[in-house]
Amino acid sequence: MPSAASVLGLRVSLLQSGMGGVAGSELACAVSNAGAAGCVGGYKLAGSALSAILARLVSGTDRPVGVNLIPEVVGPDELDRQVAQVLDETPHRVHLSFFGMPDDAVFDRVTAAGRQLVVQVGSVRDGVHAADRGAVVVAQGIEAGGHLLGTQRRDDLVGALRALLPDACLVASGGIGSPEEAARALAAGADGVLLGTAFVVAHQARAHARFKSAVTAADQADTVISDVYEIGWPGRRHRVLATAVTADPSLPAKFIGKTVVEGKPYLVPRFSAAVPTDATSGRIEEMALYCGQSCGEITEEAPAADIVAAFARVLPGPETVKSNERPEHHVH
């Protein structure tokens, strides 16, 4: 089975989560330039706003890098337009990453364009389907920060998928805050890992300073699975740091801050799914502070390249790994 590095053209089998708002072009390019797979958060960007971030992405790195899109947030027509923009405005080294399953027509369009495809899933059924369509499959466990796609723990989902998909490229996601935890994910059957929370605190991440300091100060017991941050992304549970809002969902849904996205100002209501970025002001401590159970192992902010280097020592490089002859750095 191929390592994630060999499939995506990386130096290290590490993917960065394309977190909307937090993962801008600066973070994605820094991660890719360090040899891993950076990924910019496309979220609801379209038209000139999406073009602007794509232009910065392409000019900021000549390495493989991704654009993350979220099918359930934008709907099929808008997703179609986003996919068309990415394919039209970026070179082949830019892969498409989907959080949740797109329609089969989207799989076909991306693969017909010769692009690599990464799909994050939370169930065995979706993982098998994505692999059958040629995607790198990211298996997300409930340890992950942000929105949750399933109900299984990371290593259980990885193991179940590996048993059914011996030749697929599987990437583990959720609760990975240290190289030791990454090694455990590899031992469960993964070919690489995806990190989200660990990159929230990267110097190049656009998370608000108080968001970053809350993550570095937190332990996994400080995270909760909730569904209160639903404005803009309803019907999906999410793991966040416990706040006054998760403690009391009956608070009024009034505006608690403001932010700027690609030059446009927006008001932020309480219960918004949007994260506080360096362009956000207001009641930061009441906003959606997405955070995985890995936070107990994340104690300081760091340059993205240093985060990649710390994990590189346990993750496979671009060699192809056969299931019966794993290299020594796959820790069992």
Side-chain angles (χ1 to χ4, degrees):
M1 58 201 170
S3 68
S6 63
V7 173
L8 295 173
L10 315 172
R11 291 194 285 265
V12 56
S13 293
L14 173 62
L15 284 68
Q16 168 240 313
S17 177
M19 302 165 282
V22 170
S25 52
E26 193 181 6
L27 176 62
C29 292
V31 172
S32 284
N33 287 336
C39 191
V40 79
Y43 194 45
K44 296 183 179 181
L45 296 177
S48 59
L50 182 56
S51 290
I53 204 167
L54 293 177
R56 295 198 301 270
L57 185 71
V58 172
S59 65
T61 184
D62 58 4
R63 303 276 309 159
V65 69
V67 178
N68 183 250
L69 302 173
I70 310 170
E72 71 181 22
V73 159
V74 294
D77 293 342
E78 188 63 24
L79 183 69
D80 236 27
R81 288 191 283 272
Q82 287 180 316
V83 170
Q85 269 193 265
V86 176
L87 295 178
D88 290 346
E89 298 177 22
T90 63
H92 270 68
R93 59 187 167 78
V94 177
H95 65 264
L96 280 85
S97 169
F98 292 99
F99 185 86
M101 294 288 282
D103 293 339
D104 280 354
V106 177
F107 280 101
D108 294 342
R109 184 175 188 180
V110 174
T111 51
R115 298 294 182 106
Q116 287 287 354
L117 188 58
V118 176
V119 179
Q120 191 161 171
V121 303
S123 71
V124 171
R125 185 189 66 183
D126 283 352
V128 169
H129 188 78
D132 286 346
R133 307 297 299 217
V136 171
V137 177
V138 178
Q140 184 210 51
I142 57 169
E143 301 94 333
H147 292 82
L148 298 175
L149 292 164
T151 57
Q152 288 180 268
R153 297 188 67 80
R154 180 196 72 219
D155 291 349
D156 293 342
L157 181 57
V158 168
L161 284 168
R162 176 54 73 208
L164 293 169
L165 302 167
D167 300 320
C169 182
L170 295 181
V171 173
S173 170
I176 303 171
S178 67
E180 292 72 26
E181 195 62 35
R184 277 192 277 277
L186 295 178
D191 303 309
V193 301
L194 178 141
L195 305 182
T197 306
F199 283 116
V200 168
V201 302
H203 290 167
Q204 296 91 342
R206 295 203 56 208
H208 192 280
R210 275 186 274 165
F211 182 7
K212 290 183 179 183
S213 60
V215 170
T216 58
D219 202 292
Q220 70 176 50
D222 298 315
T223 72
V224 294
I225 294 176
S226 178
D227 60 1
V228 299
Y229 293 107
E230 63 170 3
I231 297 175
W233 192 340
R236 180 68 67 185
R237 299 182 313 151
H238 34 261
R239 186 181 291 278
V240 291
L241 291 175
T243 64
V245 178
T246 62
D248 185 6
S250 67
L251 290 166
K254 65 180 186 181
F255 292 112
I256 59 170
K258 54 190 178 181
T259 194
V260 179
V261 180
E262 290 300 320
K264 288 188 178 180
Y266 296 90
L267 291 171
V268 180
R270 186 178 279 133
F271 306 113
S272 170
V275 298
T277 70
D278 53 14
T280 306
S281 58
R283 296 173 176 263
I284 305 299
E285 66 284 349
E286 292 187 23
M287 296 181 191
L289 306 177
Y290 300 116
C291 182
Q293 290 188 330
S294 57
C295 60
E297 298 169 308
I298 298 166
T299 56
E300 60 185 4
E301 297 172 34
D306 289 2
I307 298 168
V308 173
F311 284 85
R313 63 183 176 85
V314 301
L315 295 171
E319 79 283 355
T320 297
V321 183
K322 294 179 182 157
S323 55
N324 61 348
E325 51 178 61
R326 286 182 168 242
E328 289 176 10
H329 54 248
H330 280 275
V331 179
H332 288 274

